[in-house]
Structures are given as structure tokens and as C-alpha cells.
Amino acid sequence: MTRTWWKEAVIYQIYPRSFMDSNGDGIGDLPGIISRLDYLAHLGVDVLWLSPIFQSPNDDNGYDISDYEAIMAEFGTMADFERLLAEAHKRGLKVLLDIVVNHSSDEHPWFRQSRSSKDNPLRDFYFWQPAPPNNWKSFFGGSAWQHDPATGAYYLHLFSRKQPDLNWENPRLRREIYRMMRFWLDKGVDGFRLDVIPLISKRTDWPDAYEDDFLRTVYEIYANGPRVHEYLQEMHREVFARYDMMALGEGIGVTPANCLDYVGEDRRELHVLYHFDHMFLNFGAGGRFDPVPWKLTDFKAVFRRWDEAIGEEGWINIVLDNHDFPRMVSRFGNDGPWREASAKLLATLLLTMRGTPCIYQGSELGMTNARWHRLDELRDIEARNAWAEWQANGRNDVQAFLEAASVNGRDNARTPMQWTDAPHAGFTTGMPWIKVNENYPEVNARKAMADADSVFHYYRHLMALRKAHPTLIYGSYRPLREDDEQLFAYERRDADGRYLVLLNFGEAEYPVEGLVPAEHRWLIGNYAMPTTADEPLRPWEARVLELDA
Ligand code: TEU
Ligand code: CA
């Protein structure tokens, strides 16, 4: 197991649109991020992952790119970006760009040319069919095949109609992508987060999808296509191998069975990936807007399956929330009376699990889901399309939809970062593009930084602990009491140390008899150090103990 910076780093994901607005237009921007770099350095993270900052019509908030080598006008200029990169590097912060190469925007010049005529030289940069060859559905609802009047043909889009899939079968397209990647790495960017990268190889025999099981279709048909590893090995040769960089794949559709095909050190493809198995646990048959209960034993089993699969051969990114999922404290914790305790407990899981942790903006404050009271408050295309689909299926219960959106909608993670108790939480002096969570007077960075016992400072202490005890990075992972529905407990161990992590996922006290060896030292926790060795775990209590090796 080689030791590298990207295994030891803690990543912080910024959703630029909602992070900090510098010019009062209500939209976050690059100068806004620059103004908050000292905050991020103080927090103690190492790598910034910026969600897409490239030119885009923002149909899917930047995940629909119309110019891969220009900065989105609303976010600023290339000069702003170069200043951000220099200022970040000055503070020892690395920067990953989020690039979306499975699809472009339909406003990209490539697509404008491709759709213009059947014999345009760029026609085969995308997938065109005379008629839909199968029943594929988009992640955002409706058919994945869109009729285009200009040539009377249909093009493929696994996401929105404005996100046509790029045709990776075409070597000229691939060469263009690799050149673009080198353009950014030559500027000093430290790596990429590669959006839905397991989807880039299509099954061009166009087999039918599973009508009533979208996730199975994603795992078995959309992802892990016949040439995906050929493309990634070529990408590694043409791009990654030439730089000291991090290639972090969004591993939609990857399983414990095939993860090493993507991140095995000998594969020379990706360095790290994150997976979705625990993130989809509460998606019912109807997907995100059909939330179902989840069990802690299933949640724990995901971590064990993935740790066993990755073993000593590969590496993964540990994620508990991001811009595509509800806030972790609302989803896996308790955003009521135990908000701070459970936010710290989840931070303990995130930062003592084996893998590179990723903190999503605002998680360090214990930010929560918002309550969505009206449809016109929702901004996410996935939500808007889902509501249209509900109505098309005769479901007009707005309250039920808003309840589902409040539990599982992506907008929950996209409400503005809460900096102070000033209007709009200090995010903007204008009208924010999306509403601010009503709890910003209590939940904000200024208040957290002034409170030694805040979630913010707990994250700082955990990151310092992780750096001081590399066993928490590289040590083995051994789960305990896997069939317990309240306790998440595990050991981390190697030649340099042995640690026990105890996480009480509930309000009831939990006895520690039989769990804690007589010889141990309490290192950190979200309550004061226990007064006796057998003190039961208090509601939502997290404890990290050092044991004799
Ligand atoms: O996400 C892909 C993805 O897996 C999520 O969109 C999720 O599966 C989906 O929301 C199901 O409910 C990436 C980006 O992170 C996301 O923001 C983009 O919308 C998507 O790709 C298309 O680029
Ligand atoms: Ca702005």
C-alpha cells in the first residue's frame, strides 16, 4: 500500500453557486471563494473540490458545460480563477476541478455543429439514432432519447435534455477531452473530480433497460460499459500519468465486485472513487422522491463490504453528503434536539473511516435540510422534472411531493452557506438564487468559530487527530457488533497503533460492557471525557479511544 498525499488529505467540497457571493447578484462566485480561503485554511482541510466552474447555461447548475476552457460568466473570469488557484496554493490548499465529460451542454459548439446536419464532421461527437433504439430513461425523468427537428433524428441524454451524452467511441472526441484536461493541469490544478465517469462507455447494441428498476439499469446497463477501462487507461496514459495529480471518480454504478478494476493501484486508471451504496439506501422503488426507511445494519454493512473489496489494493473517498444528497445530519443524524451531537458523531465517522474523507460545505457547521413549503422554492431540475412526472402519472399531492423533497431533494444541500446571522446569512447582499435555510441565526460560521465547543472546532480537532495518528488513515478496519441497530463500532489498527471508535446512533444510552478494554485512553469525543471506564454512551455520543496495540 503506497502512501500518498491524496490518501492523507481531507477534501472540502465547494458548491460555488452557494458558497459566497462577492458582487451582490445573489450567486456565489470565485472572488467569494477567495475571500473565504482563510476560513478554509483555519478549518484545516487540505484539498478543495470545486463543483463545475466552466461556462454553462446552468440547466443543471454547471454540470452542463458549454465551454470547457472558459469560466462561467456568473462565477467570474479566468483571471479570478488563476488568482484563486494562486491564493489557495499559498495557503497549502490543493484544488480539484469537477469536470463533466460524460456529456456536454446542448449549447456547446460541438453539439451545435453535430445537430446541424447528418454529415457534419462533428456529428459523431454525440449519439444519434433515427428512432429510439430502446426504452432507456433519463436520471431526470422521461425518455433518454430526444427528438431533434434539425435532422429529424434522436440524440441520447442520460441526464437532462440539455445534457447530450458525448460519444467516447470517437477517438477525436477523446483526444479533445485529454487536451482540455492537460490545459487545466498545466495551469497548476491538482486534479479532477470526474463526474459519472463509469457511464462514458455505452453499450452500443442498445439493450433495453429494466422497466421497473432504474437503479439496476444504472448498475447493469448504463455503467461499466464494454470499453470504460480502455478509455480510463488511455486517459491515465495521456493525462494523469504526466502530473502529480488526483483523479477522483464519481463512482455511480461501481460495486465492491468491480471497484478494483477502477482504482486498483496496478490498473493505472483512477486514483480514488466514491460510491453510492449507502447514499441510495433510502431511495424507494420510485427513486429519490420515494424515500423509505433505512437500517443502521444496512448502512454499516456497506462500509464493511467496501473496505473488504478495496483491501490493500485500492483506495476510496468517504462521503456522507454532497450537492446531490440531503444534509447528512438530517439524513443519518438528528437535526432536532441532537443536531450538534449527531453532527459531531457523523464527523467522527467521516474522519476515522479508512479512505480519503470529503467534507461537504456547511457540514462543519452542522447545517441541516431546509423545509420546502412551495414548489416555486425548488431550483433543482431533478425535482422540477420529478414533479412533472408525478403529475403525468396522476399524482397531484403537492404536500406529499414537498415532504419527499424536504427529506431527499438535492436543493437541501444547495441552500447558501451560512456565514453570519446578518440577512441572507451573510452569503449575499442581494437576493439569493435559492432561499437561505431559516435556521441561519443559530447555525452560522461566525457563531461556530466563537464557540470552542462547536461542530466547527470539533472538525478541526478531528482533523488534527487524524494527522497525528496515521493509523486512522492507513490502519485496517474491523467492525464490531455488526447486527446492532444502534451502535456503529469499529477498530482501526496497524503496527503503529490500535483505536476503537464508538458511535451511538440514537437517543437511548448504550452500555459499553464488553466493548472497552480495561487499558485505554480517551482521545476525543462529542461529550466530556467519561468519568468512569464503564460510563454508558450518552445520546448520539461518539468516542475515539486509543488501545494498547
Ligand atoms: O451526479 C450523478 C448522480 O449520480 C446523481 O445525479 C444522482 O445519481 C442523481 O441525482 C439520482 O437521483 C452527477 C453530479 O454530481 C450531479 O450533480 C449531476 O446532476 C449529474 O452527475 C449529471 O451531471
Ligand atoms: Ca456573485
Side-chain angles (χ1 to χ4, degrees):
M1 158 81 72
T2 48
R3 299 199 167 198
T4 66
W5 62 266
W6 43 264
K7 291 181 181 174
E8 297 166 12
V10 175
I11 301 172
Y12 185 94
Q13 182 195 353
I14 291 176
Y15 194 70
R17 196 171 189 82
S18 304
F19 191 66
M20 182 66 204
D21 172 24
S22 71
N23 62 351
D25 66 356
I27 297 168
D29 47 51
L30 302 189
I33 297 174
I34 294 170
S35 74
R36 297 296 182 183
L37 289 175
D38 287 336
Y39 166 85
L40 295 167
H42 179 49
L43 175 59
V45 297
D46 306 296
V47 176
L48 306 181
W49 151 22
L50 306 185
S51 273
I53 59 172
F54 313 103
Q55 191 56 277
S56 164
N58 286 304
D59 188 54
D60 185 17
N61 288 353
Y63 284 90
D64 48 320
I65 296 170
S66 55
D67 184 341
Y68 287 90
E69 296 177 32
I71 300 301
M72 190 189 304
E74 295 172 320
F75 285 174
T77 64
M78 185 61 85
D80 291 328
F81 172 71
E82 286 161 355
R83 189 160 60 90
L84 191 163
L85 189 61
E87 289 300 320
H89 284 166
K90 234 188 260 175
R91 294 164 175 81
L93 296 166
K94 292 181 183 288
V95 175
L96 303 185
L97 294 184
D98 192 332
I99 56 171
V100 185
V101 293
N102 174 69
H103 47 272
S104 76
S105 164
D106 66 345
E107 299 183 25
H108 192 292
W110 291 342
F111 190 72
R112 290 186 192 284
Q113 290 187 54
S114 176
R115 79 186 322 172
S116 66
S117 77
K118 290 188 177 176
D119 53 10
N120 182 289
L122 300 192
R123 184 69 170 180
D124 287 342
F125 265 40
Y126 298 87
F127 291 101
W128 292 96
Q129 291 284 323
N134 57 28
N135 63 350
W136 287 12
K137 292 273 184 296
S138 151
F139 278 81
F140 297 158
S143 167
W145 295 98
Q146 173 62 33
H147 181 256
D148 191 61
T151 57
Y154 289 77
Y155 65 86
L156 175 67
H157 62 90
L158 292 183
F159 291 92
S160 88
R161 282 201 285 271
K162 286 181 68 63
Q163 293 171 294
D165 281 62
L166 288 163
N167 176 3
W168 277 73
E169 302 291 324
N170 185 333
R172 189 176 159 204
L173 179 272
R174 301 204 302 271
R175 277 197 303 276
E176 276 297 310
I177 297 293
Y178 302 151
R179 185 195 53 73
M180 174 271 291
M181 289 178 167
R182 291 193 299 268
F183 168 83
W184 289 106
L185 291 167
D186 289 342
K187 276 186 176 297
V189 164
D190 301 288
F192 298 122
R193 180 264 191 187
L194 294 145
D195 189 65
V196 296
I197 199 71
L199 308 185
I200 59 175
S201 166
K202 284 2 179 224
R203 286 172 171 76
T204 51
D205 53 347
W206 307 119
D208 259 353
Y210 297 100
E211 272 294 347
D212 55 0
D213 193 339
F214 183 72
L215 276 185
R216 184 178 175 199
T217 297
V218 173
Y219 278 74
E220 294 184 17
I221 296 178
Y222 292 174
N224 312 308
R227 300 181 69 185
V228 70
H229 297 296
E230 175 196 335
Y231 297 153
L232 286 175
Q233 286 167 18
E234 182 183 62
M235 192 184 295
H236 191 283
R237 273 194 316 277
E238 297 299 320
V239 185
F240 304 160
R242 308 181 186 185
Y243 303 83
D244 175 19
M245 55 85 74
M246 177 191 214
L248 164 58
E250 179 192 29
I252 181 73
V254 178
T255 68
N258 72 346
C259 62
L260 287 182
D261 295 344
Y262 286 90
V263 292
E265 297 199 353
D266 59 344
R267 295 283 297 177
R268 303 179 67 74
E269 295 191 18
L270 300 172
H271 298 120
V272 202
L273 67 77
Y274 68 87
H275 65 83
F276 288 78
D277 289 5
H278 57 313
M279 304 301 270
F280 287 146
L281 273 185
N282 80 336
F283 280 33
R288 168 189 304 278
F289 296 97
D290 174 23
V292 295
W294 59 281
K295 289 166 57 183
L296 185 66
T297 46
D298 293 336
F299 183 77
K300 295 191 292 185
V302 168
F303 285 91
R304 179 203 177 112
R305 269 200 308 274
W306 275 87
D307 191 75
E308 282 177 352
I310 289 288
E312 297 295 308
E313 313 300 317
W315 201 248
I316 54 167
N317 180 212
I318 305 296
V319 166
L320 292 176
D321 61 2
N322 63 28
H323 65 291
D324 288 332
F325 293 97
R327 288 271 174 191
M328 63 163 142
V329 73
S330 298
R331 186 180 207 199
F332 302 125
N334 172 309
D335 61 9
W338 304 102
R339 181 182 66 81
E340 292 199 271
S342 66
K344 292 175 183 176
L345 175 137
L346 293 168
T348 310
L349 170 57
L350 186 67
L351 291 161
T352 63
M353 186 52 73
R354 194 161 80 101
T356 299
C358 189
I359 301 170
Y360 179 61
Q361 72 177 44
S363 293
E364 79 276 16
L365 304 179
M367 278 179 66
T368 69
N369 284 357
R371 296 294 309 161
W372 302 95
H373 310 297
R374 295 194 322 278
L375 289 170
D376 64 10
E377 291 181 332
L378 298 173
R379 295 288 177 271
D380 179 13
I381 184 162
E382 185 171 16
R384 296 204 308 271
N385 288 6
W387 171 241
E389 202 150 16
W390 272 41
Q391 291 181 296
N393 297 333
R395 297 177 68 185
N396 292 299
D397 184 342
V398 176
Q399 283 319 313
F401 184 78
L402 289 169
E403 183 49 42
S406 298
V407 169
N408 253 2
R410 303 196 299 180
D411 286 300
N412 284 305
R414 302 174 178 189
T415 61
M417 182 70 180
Q418 294 165 200
W419 295 105
T420 68
D421 61 2
H424 312 307
F427 160 73
T428 179
T429 55
M431 281 311 292
W433 70 279
I434 185 171
K435 80 173 184 182
V436 176
N437 192 314
E438 292 135 3
N439 63 15
Y440 76 87
E442 295 77 47
V443 182
N444 63 72
R446 176 181 292 158
K447 184 165 179 278
M449 286 195 281
D451 168 8
D453 197 29
S454 65
V455 179
F456 176 87
H457 288 300
Y458 187 78
Y459 265 87
R460 292 182 61 240
H461 301 322
L462 270 174
M463 281 186 267
L465 185 84
R466 187 179 166 79
K467 291 208 180 338
H469 300 266
T471 306
L472 292 173
I473 297 170
Y474 291 110
S476 65
Y477 168 79
R478 183 170 76 85
L480 308 170
R481 298 203 181 169
E482 295 173 87
D483 58 1
D484 193 302
E485 289 296 354
Q486 182 176 342
L487 177 76
F488 193 159
Y490 50 90
E491 265 195 20
R492 301 294 317 275
R493 186 174 197 170
D494 64 12
D496 302 328
R498 184 179 168 208
Y499 301 83
L500 176 62
V501 180
L502 302 174
L503 307 171
N504 178 10
F505 270 77
E507 294 186 15
E509 289 204 342
Y510 189 96
V512 295
E513 274 74 25
L515 265 176
V516 180
E519 284 308 305
H520 70 269
R521 285 159 302 289
W522 181 88
L523 292 183
I524 193 169
N526 55 359
Y527 283 78
M529 182 162 67
T531 46
T532 61
D534 59 358
E535 170 113 36
L537 293 173
R538 289 152 287 188
W540 293 98
E541 180 170 4
R543 277 184 209 161
V544 180
L545 308 179
E546 185 173 25
L547 308 180
D548 291 341

